[in-house]
Amino acid sequence: MAKAFASAGDMADKKISFTEVGEGLYAFTAEGDPNTGVIIGDESVMIVEAQATPRLARMVIEKVREVTDKPISHLVMTHYHAVRVLGASAYGAREVIMSDVAAAMVEERGQEDWESEFDRFPRLFQGHEEIPGLTRPTTTFSESMTVYLGKRRVDIMKLGRAHTAGDAVIWVPDQEVMFTGDIVEYHSACYCGDGHFADWEDTLMNIAAFEPKAIAPGRGDALVGEEMVAKAIAATADFVNSTYKPIAKVVARGGTLKEAWDACRAECDPKFSDYAIYEHCLPFNVARAYDEARGIDTPRVWTAARDKDMWNQLQG
């Protein structure tokens, strides 16, 4: 029997957790599905990551309303991917914030990514009819910006390329908590299809330099305590390096994409095969690593047609 494309066969609902990672700070997680962060200020609430649809966003809002009735004023997107941003309309936030690079990527490849991810994650896009269109920011920044939710300071910044070229992190200094998006994952595969392998570990070290007491990662459980934070950062670096290094060796000797796939599986399967979305991510990760090792710095645009062609080539 042919293996289902990406996560097309994953239609089971996930258990939602809503974990306090600091005073007035929460991580909405769901067994490896995309996470959302919640930052409660004196006067209003900031949401980090919108979810894929308004239907999923309302699940986040339900959890927010269990802990506060303050209005949602700000929505921050750590990057441009459809599963992170297309639920934005449900929040009614007056400010929608992205880095300038992420905003440019919405225009350059946002529609293609939406169509691609729709086929990859049918469960996440249930209720897609409500999506009004691409999510565009009202506010962008080049390196960093600061938002005050009353007296609570929130710093939004770029610390380097990793999951995408436009990644942002959100730092809440009064609690020393960071929301990292997909730069950091916990017991979940990193999706590297738009990634920058050579930069990723340096960006992780930039995060570690803040010495966070907790992290809300892109996928996987909330990371509470410095020991758990360090473990997740190290595991993420190991995943990225274990993916790229064997593929770079294949490219250096003139090997094929299929040979790169075999080399990556030999290195990564023993360590990561039980990670959430591992099989989903692997073909996209191999294709991107193969390109980067051949000197292609800007990730090629994924389309629904390219997805299927690559999937069939590597699964065959």
Side-chain angles (χ1 to χ4, degrees), residues 168-202:
V169 303
I170 297 84
W171 174 245
V172 184
D174 69 84
Q175 294 293 297
E176 298 178 81
V177 171
M178 187 172 285
F179 299 79
T180 64
D182 287 309
I183 302 173
V184 178
E185 312 288 24
Y186 184 69
H187 212 75
S188 179
C190 300
Y191 174 73
C192 311
D194 292 306
H196 294 271
F197 288 93
D199 297 352
W200 203 314
E201 187 169 10
D202 287 343

mmCIF file of all heavy atoms in Angstrom, residues 168-202:
data_model
loop_
_atom_site.group_PDB
_atom_site.id
_atom_site.type_symbol
_atom_site.label_atom_id
_atom_site.label_comp_id
_atom_site.label_asym_id
_atom_site.label_seq_id
_atom_site.Cartn_x
_atom_site.Cartn_y
_atom_site.Cartn_z
ATOM 1 N N ALA A 168 11.036 35.231 13.519
ATOM 2 C CA ALA A 168 11.059 36.150 14.656
ATOM 3 C C ALA A 168 10.867 35.353 15.944
ATOM 4 O O ALA A 168 10.253 34.281 15.940
ATOM 5 C CB ALA A 168 9.955 37.196 14.532
ATOM 6 N N VAL A 169 11.400 35.877 17.037
ATOM 7 C CA VAL A 169 11.140 35.332 18.372
ATOM 8 C C VAL A 169 10.537 36.444 19.218
ATOM 9 O O VAL A 169 10.701 37.631 18.927
ATOM 10 C CB VAL A 169 12.401 34.764 19.041
ATOM 11 C CG1 VAL A 169 13.031 33.681 18.178
ATOM 12 C CG2 VAL A 169 13.410 35.865 19.352
ATOM 13 N N ILE A 170 9.867 36.041 20.283
ATOM 14 C CA ILE A 170 9.200 36.987 21.173
ATOM 15 C C ILE A 170 9.722 36.736 22.582
ATOM 16 O O ILE A 170 9.646 35.614 23.088
ATOM 17 C CB ILE A 170 7.660 36.826 21.117
ATOM 18 C CG1 ILE A 170 7.136 37.147 19.701
ATOM 19 C CG2 ILE A 170 6.989 37.722 22.146
ATOM 20 C CD1 ILE A 170 7.201 35.996 18.720
ATOM 21 N N TRP A 171 10.244 37.775 23.205
ATOM 22 C CA TRP A 171 10.892 37.675 24.516
ATOM 23 C C TRP A 171 10.121 38.528 25.520
ATOM 24 O O TRP A 171 9.836 39.699 25.262
ATOM 25 C CB TRP A 171 12.332 38.160 24.401
ATOM 26 C CG TRP A 171 13.133 38.270 25.666
ATOM 27 C CD1 TRP A 171 13.622 39.405 26.224
ATOM 28 C CD2 TRP A 171 13.585 37.204 26.518
ATOM 29 N NE1 TRP A 171 14.353 39.129 27.353
ATOM 30 C CE2 TRP A 171 14.331 37.783 27.567
ATOM 31 C CE3 TRP A 171 13.419 35.813 26.491
ATOM 32 C CZ2 TRP A 171 14.933 37.019 28.574
ATOM 33 C CZ3 TRP A 171 14.005 35.054 27.507
ATOM 34 C CH2 TRP A 171 14.748 35.650 28.523
ATOM 35 N N VAL A 172 9.763 37.909 26.639
ATOM 36 C CA VAL A 172 9.068 38.611 27.713
ATOM 37 C C VAL A 172 10.048 38.734 28.880
ATOM 38 O O VAL A 172 10.236 37.781 29.648
ATOM 39 C CB VAL A 172 7.788 37.870 28.136
ATOM 40 C CG1 VAL A 172 7.025 38.680 29.185
ATOM 41 C CG2 VAL A 172 6.892 37.600 26.923
ATOM 42 N N PRO A 173 10.712 39.881 29.021
ATOM 43 C CA PRO A 173 11.839 39.975 29.953
ATOM 44 C C PRO A 173 11.454 39.855 31.424
ATOM 45 O O PRO A 173 12.261 39.368 32.221
ATOM 46 C CB PRO A 173 12.446 41.346 29.643
ATOM 47 C CG PRO A 173 11.407 42.095 28.894
ATOM 48 C CD PRO A 173 10.598 41.094 28.175
ATOM 49 N N ASP A 174 10.239 40.263 31.805
ATOM 50 C CA ASP A 174 9.920 40.204 33.235
ATOM 51 C C ASP A 174 9.803 38.769 33.742
ATOM 52 O O ASP A 174 9.941 38.516 34.942
ATOM 53 C CB ASP A 174 8.640 40.993 33.542
ATOM 54 C CG ASP A 174 7.387 40.348 32.968
ATOM 55 O OD1 ASP A 174 6.829 39.441 33.615
ATOM 56 O OD2 ASP A 174 6.962 40.752 31.875
ATOM 57 N N GLN A 175 9.583 37.810 32.828
ATOM 58 C CA GLN A 175 9.510 36.396 33.209
ATOM 59 C C GLN A 175 10.641 35.567 32.597
ATOM 60 O O GLN A 175 10.753 34.378 32.868
ATOM 61 C CB GLN A 175 8.169 35.807 32.782
ATOM 62 C CG GLN A 175 6.980 36.386 33.518
ATOM 63 C CD GLN A 175 6.980 36.018 34.979
ATOM 64 O OE1 GLN A 175 6.892 34.845 35.339
ATOM 65 N NE2 GLN A 175 7.087 37.021 35.859
ATOM 66 N N GLU A 176 11.450 36.195 31.725
ATOM 67 C CA GLU A 176 12.540 35.511 31.025
ATOM 68 C C GLU A 176 12.017 34.286 30.270
ATOM 69 O O GLU A 176 12.554 33.181 30.367
ATOM 70 C CB GLU A 176 13.656 35.126 32.004
ATOM 71 C CG GLU A 176 14.294 36.336 32.680
ATOM 72 C CD GLU A 176 15.355 35.953 33.685
ATOM 73 O OE1 GLU A 176 16.500 35.684 33.250
ATOM 74 O OE2 GLU A 176 15.035 35.896 34.897
ATOM 75 N N VAL A 177 10.973 34.530 29.507
ATOM 76 C CA VAL A 177 10.317 33.486 28.707
ATOM 77 C C VAL A 177 10.366 33.893 27.244
ATOM 78 O O VAL A 177 10.171 35.064 26.904
ATOM 79 C CB VAL A 177 8.858 33.281 29.155
ATOM 80 C CG1 VAL A 177 8.107 32.357 28.196
ATOM 81 C CG2 VAL A 177 8.813 32.709 30.571
ATOM 82 N N MET A 178 10.614 32.907 26.379
ATOM 83 C CA MET A 178 10.687 33.163 24.945
ATOM 84 C C MET A 178 9.709 32.282 24.179
ATOM 85 O O MET A 178 9.529 31.111 24.496
ATOM 86 C CB MET A 178 12.118 32.937 24.423
ATOM 87 C CG MET A 178 12.311 33.353 22.959
ATOM 88 S SD MET A 178 14.048 33.303 22.426
ATOM 89 C CE MET A 178 14.702 34.778 23.243
ATOM 90 N N PHE A 179 9.105 32.872 23.171
ATOM 91 C CA PHE A 179 8.267 32.172 22.204
ATOM 92 C C PHE A 179 9.072 32.115 20.909
ATOM 93 O O PHE A 179 9.364 33.156 20.314
ATOM 94 C CB PHE A 179 6.945 32.918 22.003
ATOM 95 C CG PHE A 179 6.115 33.027 23.264
ATOM 96 C CD1 PHE A 179 6.410 33.986 24.235
ATOM 97 C CD2 PHE A 179 5.049 32.165 23.477
ATOM 98 C CE1 PHE A 179 5.659 34.090 25.401
ATOM 99 C CE2 PHE A 179 4.290 32.258 24.649
ATOM 100 C CZ PHE A 179 4.591 33.217 25.608
ATOM 101 N N THR A 180 9.454 30.907 20.501
ATOM 102 C CA THR A 180 10.469 30.765 19.447
ATOM 103 C C THR A 180 9.922 30.398 18.082
ATOM 104 O O THR A 180 10.696 30.329 17.122
ATOM 105 C CB THR A 180 11.478 29.675 19.827
ATOM 106 O OG1 THR A 180 10.794 28.407 19.890
ATOM 107 C CG2 THR A 180 12.146 29.973 21.156
ATOM 108 N N GLY A 181 8.607 30.149 17.956
ATOM 109 C CA GLY A 181 8.152 29.579 16.705
ATOM 110 C C GLY A 181 8.881 28.289 16.414
ATOM 111 O O GLY A 181 9.372 27.596 17.318
ATOM 112 N N ASP A 182 9.008 27.955 15.149
ATOM 113 C CA ASP A 182 9.571 26.663 14.754
ATOM 114 C C ASP A 182 11.092 26.631 14.735
ATOM 115 O O ASP A 182 11.674 25.664 14.236
ATOM 116 C CB ASP A 182 9.023 26.264 13.388
ATOM 117 C CG ASP A 182 7.570 25.823 13.466
ATOM 118 O OD1 ASP A 182 7.263 24.968 14.305
ATOM 119 O OD2 ASP A 182 6.744 26.351 12.695
ATOM 120 N N ILE A 183 11.751 27.627 15.272
ATOM 121 C CA ILE A 183 13.205 27.538 15.429
ATOM 122 C C ILE A 183 13.547 26.426 16.413
ATOM 123 O O ILE A 183 14.535 25.711 16.248
ATOM 124 C CB ILE A 183 13.800 28.880 15.898
ATOM 125 C CG1 ILE A 183 13.473 29.996 14.910
ATOM 126 C CG2 ILE A 183 15.315 28.756 16.066
ATOM 127 C CD1 ILE A 183 13.879 31.381 15.408
ATOM 128 N N VAL A 184 12.730 26.296 17.464
ATOM 129 C CA VAL A 184 12.898 25.243 18.467
ATOM 130 C C VAL A 184 11.668 24.348 18.438
ATOM 131 O O VAL A 184 10.535 24.843 18.405
ATOM 132 C CB VAL A 184 13.072 25.828 19.883
ATOM 133 C CG1 VAL A 184 13.200 24.707 20.916
ATOM 134 C CG2 VAL A 184 14.267 26.762 19.953
ATOM 135 N N GLU A 185 11.884 23.030 18.448
ATOM 136 C CA GLU A 185 10.797 22.052 18.550
ATOM 137 C C GLU A 185 11.105 21.123 19.722
ATOM 138 O O GLU A 185 12.251 21.031 20.169
ATOM 139 C CB GLU A 185 10.657 21.222 17.270
ATOM 140 C CG GLU A 185 10.654 22.010 15.973
ATOM 141 C CD GLU A 185 9.385 22.808 15.723
ATOM 142 O OE1 GLU A 185 8.668 23.142 16.689
ATOM 143 O OE2 GLU A 185 9.108 23.126 14.554
ATOM 144 N N TYR A 186 10.074 20.431 20.187
ATOM 145 C CA TYR A 186 10.296 19.450 21.245
ATOM 146 C C TYR A 186 9.636 18.130 20.879
ATOM 147 O O TYR A 186 8.409 18.063 20.750
ATOM 148 C CB TYR A 186 9.762 19.942 22.593
ATOM 149 C CG TYR A 186 10.071 18.963 23.709
ATOM 150 C CD1 TYR A 186 11.382 18.783 24.145
ATOM 151 C CD2 TYR A 186 9.069 18.193 24.299
ATOM 152 C CE1 TYR A 186 11.696 17.877 25.153
ATOM 153 C CE2 TYR A 186 9.371 17.286 25.307
ATOM 154 C CZ TYR A 186 10.681 17.129 25.723
ATOM 155 O OH TYR A 186 10.981 16.223 26.701
ATOM 156 N N HIS A 187 10.446 17.115 20.712
ATOM 157 C CA HIS A 187 9.986 15.776 20.314
ATOM 158 C C HIS A 187 9.071 15.858 19.092
ATOM 159 O O HIS A 187 8.081 15.132 18.963
ATOM 160 C CB HIS A 187 9.295 15.043 21.463
ATOM 161 C CG HIS A 187 9.503 13.557 21.407
ATOM 162 N ND1 HIS A 187 10.698 12.960 21.756
ATOM 163 C CD2 HIS A 187 8.687 12.554 20.991
ATOM 164 C CE1 HIS A 187 10.596 11.650 21.592
ATOM 165 N NE2 HIS A 187 9.396 11.385 21.117
ATOM 166 N N SER A 188 9.427 16.757 18.213
ATOM 167 C CA SER A 188 8.734 16.931 16.940
ATOM 168 C C SER A 188 9.786 17.243 15.897
ATOM 169 O O SER A 188 10.754 17.965 16.169
ATOM 170 C CB SER A 188 7.724 18.073 17.029
ATOM 171 O OG SER A 188 7.070 18.260 15.788
ATOM 172 N N ALA A 189 9.608 16.685 14.709
ATOM 173 C CA ALA A 189 10.559 16.957 13.634
ATOM 174 C C ALA A 189 10.557 18.434 13.272
ATOM 175 O O ALA A 189 9.519 19.100 13.324
ATOM 176 C CB ALA A 189 10.208 16.121 12.410
ATOM 177 N N CYS A 190 11.723 18.941 12.926
ATOM 178 C CA CYS A 190 11.816 20.279 12.351
ATOM 179 C C CYS A 190 11.417 20.198 10.881
ATOM 180 O O CYS A 190 11.936 19.354 10.142
ATOM 181 C CB CYS A 190 13.239 20.809 12.440
ATOM 182 S SG CYS A 190 13.892 20.933 14.104
ATOM 183 N N TYR A 191 10.542 21.082 10.454
ATOM 184 C CA TYR A 191 10.285 21.216 9.023
ATOM 185 C C TYR A 191 11.340 22.164 8.459
ATOM 186 O O TYR A 191 11.423 23.331 8.848
ATOM 187 C CB TYR A 191 8.879 21.764 8.752
ATOM 188 C CG TYR A 191 8.660 22.049 7.291
ATOM 189 C CD1 TYR A 191 8.495 21.001 6.389
ATOM 190 C CD2 TYR A 191 8.686 23.347 6.799
ATOM 191 C CE1 TYR A 191 8.330 21.249 5.028
ATOM 192 C CE2 TYR A 191 8.533 23.601 5.450
ATOM 193 C CZ TYR A 191 8.352 22.549 4.570
ATOM 194 O OH TYR A 191 8.207 22.798 3.222
ATOM 195 N N CYS A 192 12.155 21.639 7.554
ATOM 196 C CA CYS A 192 13.296 22.400 7.023
ATOM 197 C C CYS A 192 13.129 22.739 5.543
ATOM 198 O O CYS A 192 14.088 23.164 4.899
ATOM 199 C CB CYS A 192 14.591 21.607 7.216
ATOM 200 S SG CYS A 192 14.853 20.959 8.878
ATOM 201 N N GLY A 193 11.940 22.551 5.004
ATOM 202 C CA GLY A 193 11.737 22.753 3.571
ATOM 203 C C GLY A 193 11.983 24.166 3.099
ATOM 204 O O GLY A 193 12.262 24.399 1.928
ATOM 205 N N ASP A 194 11.868 25.153 4.005
ATOM 206 C CA ASP A 194 12.192 26.548 3.708
ATOM 207 C C ASP A 194 13.342 27.028 4.588
ATOM 208 O O ASP A 194 13.509 28.229 4.801
ATOM 209 C CB ASP A 194 10.969 27.442 3.953
ATOM 210 C CG ASP A 194 9.859 27.182 2.961
ATOM 211 O OD1 ASP A 194 10.117 27.242 1.749
ATOM 212 O OD2 ASP A 194 8.720 26.900 3.400
ATOM 213 N N GLY A 195 14.117 26.080 5.100
ATOM 214 C CA GLY A 195 15.092 26.392 6.125
ATOM 215 C C GLY A 195 16.471 26.778 5.613
ATOM 216 O O GLY A 195 16.765 26.718 4.407
ATOM 217 N N HIS A 196 17.290 27.157 6.571
ATOM 218 C CA HIS A 196 18.680 27.535 6.311
ATOM 219 C C HIS A 196 19.549 26.761 7.302
ATOM 220 O O HIS A 196 19.791 27.190 8.436
ATOM 221 C CB HIS A 196 18.845 29.044 6.466
ATOM 222 C CG HIS A 196 18.085 29.818 5.429
ATOM 223 N ND1 HIS A 196 18.631 30.157 4.218
ATOM 224 C CD2 HIS A 196 16.799 30.241 5.410
ATOM 225 C CE1 HIS A 196 17.709 30.795 3.486
ATOM 226 N NE2 HIS A 196 16.598 30.852 4.195
ATOM 227 N N PHE A 197 20.013 25.605 6.845
ATOM 228 C CA PHE A 197 20.732 24.673 7.713
ATOM 229 C C PHE A 197 22.006 25.286 8.286
ATOM 230 O O PHE A 197 22.316 25.104 9.464
ATOM 231 C CB PHE A 197 21.078 23.399 6.936
ATOM 232 C CG PHE A 197 19.905 22.517 6.649
ATOM 233 C CD1 PHE A 197 19.201 22.638 5.455
ATOM 234 C CD2 PHE A 197 19.484 21.557 7.555
ATOM 235 C CE1 PHE A 197 18.118 21.818 5.172
ATOM 236 C CE2 PHE A 197 18.406 20.735 7.296
ATOM 237 C CZ PHE A 197 17.717 20.864 6.097
ATOM 238 N N ALA A 198 22.747 25.997 7.456
ATOM 239 C CA ALA A 198 24.037 26.526 7.903
ATOM 240 C C ALA A 198 23.884 27.566 9.007
ATOM 241 O O ALA A 198 24.811 27.773 9.800
ATOM 242 C CB ALA A 198 24.798 27.131 6.724
ATOM 243 N N ASP A 199 22.728 28.221 9.073
ATOM 244 C CA ASP A 199 22.501 29.282 10.058
ATOM 245 C C ASP A 199 21.778 28.794 11.310
ATOM 246 O O ASP A 199 21.826 29.465 12.348
ATOM 247 C CB ASP A 199 21.652 30.397 9.438
ATOM 248 C CG ASP A 199 22.315 31.083 8.268
ATOM 249 O OD1 ASP A 199 23.497 30.813 8.014
ATOM 250 O OD2 ASP A 199 21.639 31.882 7.590
ATOM 251 N N TRP A 200 21.094 27.676 11.217
ATOM 252 C CA TRP A 200 20.118 27.284 12.232
ATOM 253 C C TRP A 200 20.753 27.137 13.617
ATOM 254 O O TRP A 200 20.234 27.664 14.611
ATOM 255 C CB TRP A 200 19.428 25.986 11.818
ATOM 256 C CG TRP A 200 18.082 25.726 12.439
ATOM 257 C CD1 TRP A 200 17.728 25.854 13.744
ATOM 258 C CD2 TRP A 200 16.911 25.282 11.745
ATOM 259 N NE1 TRP A 200 16.410 25.504 13.924
ATOM 260 C CE2 TRP A 200 15.883 25.157 12.714
ATOM 261 C CE3 TRP A 200 16.637 24.950 10.417
ATOM 262 C CZ2 TRP A 200 14.593 24.719 12.392
ATOM 263 C CZ3 TRP A 200 15.353 24.529 10.099
ATOM 264 C CH2 TRP A 200 14.345 24.415 11.064
ATOM 265 N N GLU A 201 21.887 26.440 13.714
ATOM 266 C CA GLU A 201 22.484 26.224 15.031
ATOM 267 C C GLU A 201 22.951 27.532 15.650
ATOM 268 O O GLU A 201 22.813 27.738 16.874
ATOM 269 C CB GLU A 201 23.634 25.216 14.955
ATOM 270 C CG GLU A 201 24.158 24.839 16.327
ATOM 271 C CD GLU A 201 25.104 23.657 16.309
ATOM 272 O OE1 GLU A 201 25.529 23.226 15.215
ATOM 273 O OE2 GLU A 201 25.420 23.157 17.408
ATOM 274 N N ASP A 202 23.489 28.438 14.841
ATOM 275 C CA ASP A 202 23.892 29.746 15.382
ATOM 276 C C ASP A 202 22.685 30.490 15.945
ATOM 277 O O ASP A 202 22.779 31.147 16.996
ATOM 278 C CB ASP A 202 24.555 30.595 14.298
ATOM 279 C CG ASP A 202 25.959 30.122 13.946
ATOM 280 O OD1 ASP A 202 26.541 29.352 14.741
ATOM 281 O OD2 ASP A 202 26.457 30.509 12.875
#
